[in-house]
Structures are given as structure tokens and as C-alpha cells.
Amino acid sequence: MKQQIKFVNADKTRFYTVLKQRVDNYFKENNISQHANGKMIFKTIFMFCLYFVPYAFILSNSIPEWAFWLCWAMMGLGLAGIGMSVMHDANHGAYSSSNKVNKILGLSLNLVGADANNWKTQHNVLHHTYTNIQDYDEDIDIKFGMRFSPNGKHNKMQKFQPLYVFFFYSLMTLYWVTFKDYAQYHRYLREGYNKANKTKQKKQLLHMLIWKIFYYSYILVIPILFLNMAWWKIILGFLLLHLIAGLLLSLVFQLAHVVENTSFPMPDDKGNIENEWAIHQLNTTADFSAKNPFITFFVGGLNYQIEHHLFQRVCHIHYPKIAPIVQQTAREFGIPYLYNRSFFSALTSHLRLLSKLGHKEAYQFPIG
């Protein structure tokens, strides 16, 4: 079991208390729910259609080959859209006030090949609690030799990571649906994050295996058996789907945390982080492209990552409205609000930081 980390509000700041009250008042004064609305329901239907309508065309056996490849590519967009716009809110309990609705929609992650139970541990518990803290936040762990934190291990090859990072990003969902879930399941047992009794643990594993069988059955077995298409082309289509989805999902999450001016604090010998948790979130997170409605729509509001980290049980459809409240309150308390104006500026900041991280002692990082 890893050392337990505690956030110590040594300055006794009331930042989050004031901010939470103001955001709560926004919903009360406007008489609206913090959960999904009509726009969110439309988005949900759209994202599922973006994934399953091309799948139906593929199975129809009636499309030309160029359309066959286009459909797999569109499914990649749909997978990313379902992940960012539907399952993400549902598994945070933000989509609906009904736990049953959230659980059903949260299983959309299982539907596209991954495991919601593991995701909740990795994302809700580890990433949201220990954002940008090495060895706790798995999003900045060393993967494929890449270094995402100044506290991570350094090797000489990492000076080239801005050149090869996109290739490995594109493998993210493919690795997820093949190996990652099994590795996480056993690691979370070993590290004590899965606190269920042994009977429930076995049920969780069986549940994961059944969903994996279902996924591979509809995504590969059925097309291979029933399509008038060479089996290897179906495999390539499957790979195309995941290369597109993996690249999109990796970039959106990395552009929110692994960019210039974000901090990567480490606990002291007693396991303490000398900061209020909410201020830690602002120090380790950046928004981007807030003025771009297309990006906001497609990435599930995750370009408003600061608002998401502070109010993860609020549906992302409301983030553009509460962002000015967060900005104003942060300004009043003298807390930096990190922001990149466009997707391109966030991407270039990410690549510059990766380049700096590739050189062991070349950059002075904020300490948070």
C-alpha cells in the first residue's frame, strides 16, 4: 500500500467554500439542475449514432471499400465522443440525479471495450485526488518510455519524445481494451484500492471478462464471419478505429495537465501536500479553447478541465456558464487560472513541455 497523501490547508483559505457557494447559487438562482439537459441528451444520441451507425453500414455488406474505411474512422470518432461526452459524466455521477441512469450510461465504457470499474479507480480516485503527483496519478506515469513529470525517471531517449509521442498516444485505447484492464485489476487488488471482499472481486473479474467477450464478438468476430471482406482488412479497420480514438483521447487529457505552467508537487516525508486540494487542482490543470463551440461539444467540455476537476459531479454541459465564476473567485483569492486560448496553443505548449522534460535538469517547474 502506498503512503497516504493528505492535503493540508495551512493558510486556512476559504477559496473552495466561497467558490462552491457561488456555483450552488448559480444553479438555484437560475432554477436549473446541475445534471443533463436537453442539449446533453441530444449530444448523447449523436455520439452513440456516430459510433453505431457506421457499424451498421459496415455490417450491411453493401458499401464500397472507401466507405468501409471511412466507417471505421467515424467509429473512432464515435468511441472518443462516447468516452468524453457520455460515460465520463455518467461514471462521475454527473449525468443524472439517478444512480441507476448513471450506472447504465457508465457501462457505455464496457460497450466500447474497456472496464468502467477500473476506470473509476484510475480516474475518479487516483487522477482527481492526486492530480499530477508522480506515482499516484496514473495519467502521468511513465508509459512507453515517455516522461510526463519532472519527478519521473529520466533516460536519454526522452529528448526525442516530442517526435514519437503521437504514435504512442494513438495506441492508448488499443492497449486499454487488450491488456490494460487486466493489469489494472490485479494492481488495484495488490495496492489495496479494490476493497471489495473476495467474492465481489471474482464477480468483478467475471463481469469484465463477459463484457470483453461481448465486445470482441461484435467488433471483430461477427464482421469476420459475415462480411464479404478479407479478415485482415477487418483487423486493419479495427486498428484504424483505435488509432484515431486513442490519439484524440490522449491529447485531450494531456493538454489539460501536461502543459507549461502546470505544477507537479510531491508530498513531504509525512505524506502531506502543503496546499488546499482545490487550489492544487488549479495549479495542476489548464483549460483550453473555451471560445471554440465545436471543440467544447466534441470533447465533452473537457477543455474546461479546471471546472471539471473542481465540480466533477456537475454535468459538463454547464461548464461554460460556471467558468467565469471560477475565474472571478480565483482572481479574488490571487490564485492562477491557467488557460490556453486554442487547441493549437495548448498542443504547442504540451510539446514544449515534453521537450523540456526530455532534458533532466533543463527547466524550473512550478512547485504548486
Side-chain angles (χ1 to χ4, degrees), residues 1-2 4 117 121 125 130 185 187-202 204:
M1 188 70 177
K2 294 178 180 177
Q4 185 176 358
N117 194 56
T121 301
V125 177
Y130 309 116
Y185 172 81
R187 185 168 70 254
Y188 293 155
L189 284 181
R190 184 174 66 251
E191 295 180 355
Y193 291 116
N194 187 340
K195 300 183 184 300
N197 59 49
K198 290 189 176 181
T199 300
K200 190 171 181 180
Q201 289 170 3
K202 291 178 180 178
Q204 289 172 348

Side-chain angles (χ1 to χ4, degrees), residues 11 19 23 37 40-41 77 98 101 120 136 157 166 183 190 215 226 238 283 285 319 323 344 357:
D11 296 331
L19 176 61
V23 171
N37 55 20
M40 183 63 192
I41 293 171
L77 296 176
S98 167
V101 171
K120 288 178 183 178
Y136 289 82
M157 278 298 296
F166 297 110
R190 184 174 66 251
Y215 173 69
F226 295 103
F238 169 78
N283 288 338
T285 310
Y319 292 163
F344 181 75
L357 287 166

